[in-house]
Amino acid sequence: MSVHKEVKKVTTHVLMEMKQHGEKISMLTAYDYSMARIIDHAGIDVILVGDSASNVMAGHETTLPITLDQMVYHASSVIRAVNRALVVVDLPFGSYQGNSKEALTSAIRIMKEAGAHAVKLEGGREVKESVARILSAGIPVMGHLGLTPQSIYKFGTYIVRAKEEVEAKMLMEDALILEKAGCFAIVLEKVPAKLAAKVTKELSIPVIGIGAGGGVDGQVLVLHDMLGITNEFNPRFLRRYLNLYDQVKGAVKKYIVDVKSKDFPNKNEQY
């Protein structure tokens, strides 16, 4: 047996095994080739090409404006960089709601044109039909419950979801509906830690949390938040591992000074 270890690709099956063995799943977003390459090399398990690209890449206030074409563009950039991670792509707002045929068409475009490994969509019982239809084409689906940013105007706020008993009960039912429909995993966003842990125990598929405590099977953060590139967003669940906003700004300021003072380029930096 060779000592050289092949890169073991992360698949939906691998994630299932990780849950069974109690190994936590690490997941981050990425939207472009360069960043995706770095986090894949670092050993991230799952890369989410999130519709959060609408906020961090395009500067929109919500995730709603991003189009399917734009998601395909971001996803194909990420796919070209990745060797190991499982790449999941968000179906953007308006590309799957209320029409399972359109949901399937959207998912097929993402798989075919971007070469993605799976898609993710928001919602519970109301998207059950879309989930089933996408799965019928052999496309893996990740669910998303709790705070569903595409429904921002329905709730009118980004507050923690499912604090009330009725909503908590509904969330648990929706999670079971998604599992039964065939989702390979579910993201739980901004729900009380106790409820998230309960859902995780109840489900046999992996549950990945964002602002859902430590009792879930894995964690996801938006890369730009975690690296401190965005600096206005400060939710309780966010841990910043770098402060790139200030570091990059400092480097740019230094470059400007060096150019204006004719320090750059120096003798060794020219031909």
Side-chain angles (χ1 to χ4, degrees):
M1 207 177 96
S2 103
V3 190
H4 177 68
K5 209 171 164 219
E6 269 296 294
V7 171
K8 192 185 173 199
K9 281 199 184 297
V10 180
T11 62
T12 56
H13 180 69
V14 169
L15 297 182
M16 197 63 127
E17 286 179 336
M18 286 170 82
K19 172 167 179 135
Q20 284 156 3
H21 299 149
E23 184 189 340
K24 298 284 188 189
I25 296 161
S26 62
M27 176 163 154
L28 281 171
T29 65
Y31 319 95
D32 68 286
Y33 174 84
S34 305
M35 285 294 204
R37 195 159 169 260
I38 297 170
I39 66 175
D40 188 58
H41 281 171
I44 203 80
D45 298 317
V46 185
I47 293 177
L48 173 67
V49 183
D51 56 5
S52 42
S54 183
N55 313 97
V56 299
M57 301 302 281
H60 293 295
E61 208 177 310
T62 69
T63 59
L64 271 57
I66 201 160
T67 65
L68 187 59
D69 284 344
Q70 288 166 332
M71 288 305 297
V72 167
Y73 164 78
H74 286 295
S76 44
S77 305
V78 166
I79 282 288
R80 283 190 280 271
V82 171
N83 277 323
R84 179 184 172 273
L86 179 82
V87 179
V88 181
V89 181
D90 270 337
L91 285 178
F93 177 74
S95 71
Y96 64 91
Q97 287 97 335
N99 183 339
S100 63
K101 194 166 172 283
E102 193 178 346
L104 176 60
T105 308
S106 304
I108 286 174
R109 276 200 62 197
I110 282 175
M111 301 300 281
K112 232 180 134 102
E113 295 175 36
H117 307 142
V119 297
K120 176 167 86 61
L121 45 76
E122 294 181 6
R125 61 203 73 195
E126 68 279 16
V127 296
K128 185 176 76 174
E129 211 182 300
S130 291
V131 171
R133 199 137 181 190
I134 294 168
L135 280 162
S136 73
I139 299 169
V141 179
M142 181 182 268
H144 184 145
L145 293 170
L147 174 75
T148 46
Q150 289 180 8
S151 307
I152 176 60
Y153 293 118
K154 179 173 118 185
F155 296 126
T157 162
Y158 286 122
I159 57 160
V160 173
R161 302 308 314 171
K163 274 165 111 171
E164 310 300 322
E165 207 173 316
V166 180
E167 207 180 332
K169 189 171 168 286
M170 244 179 93
L171 185 116
M172 177 65 89
E173 285 168 9
D174 277 340
L176 289 162
I177 286 167
L178 290 176
E179 175 175 57
K180 203 170 163 224
C183 285
F184 71 87
I186 290 175
V187 168
L188 279 187
E189 182 167 357
K190 262 181 121 173
V191 298
K194 240 168 109 174
L195 174 63
K198 205 172 141 192
V199 171
T200 306
K201 275 199 181 72
E202 196 76 32
L203 265 54
S204 60
I205 58 172
V207 175
I208 293 164
I210 174 163
V216 289
D217 301 306
Q219 299 293 333
V220 60
L221 282 176
V222 169
L223 184 65
H224 292 61
D225 297 341
M226 173 269 221
L227 292 176
I229 295 171
T230 50
N231 67 342
E232 306 87 19
F233 184 60
N234 288 304
R236 188 194 303 188
F237 65 76
L238 173 61
R239 184 181 294 180
R240 281 208 166 83
Y241 286 81
L242 280 175
N243 180 0
L244 278 188
Y245 184 89
D246 288 343
Q247 285 169 278
V248 172
K249 192 172 153 194
V252 173
K253 281 189 151 170
K254 186 154 182 4
Y255 169 73
I256 294 166
V257 167
D258 290 353
V259 169
K260 291 193 181 291
S261 66
K262 301 177 187 165
D263 176 73
F264 175 79
N266 64 29
K267 287 269 191 293
N268 301 325
E269 292 161 331
Q270 52 197 353
Y271 297 98

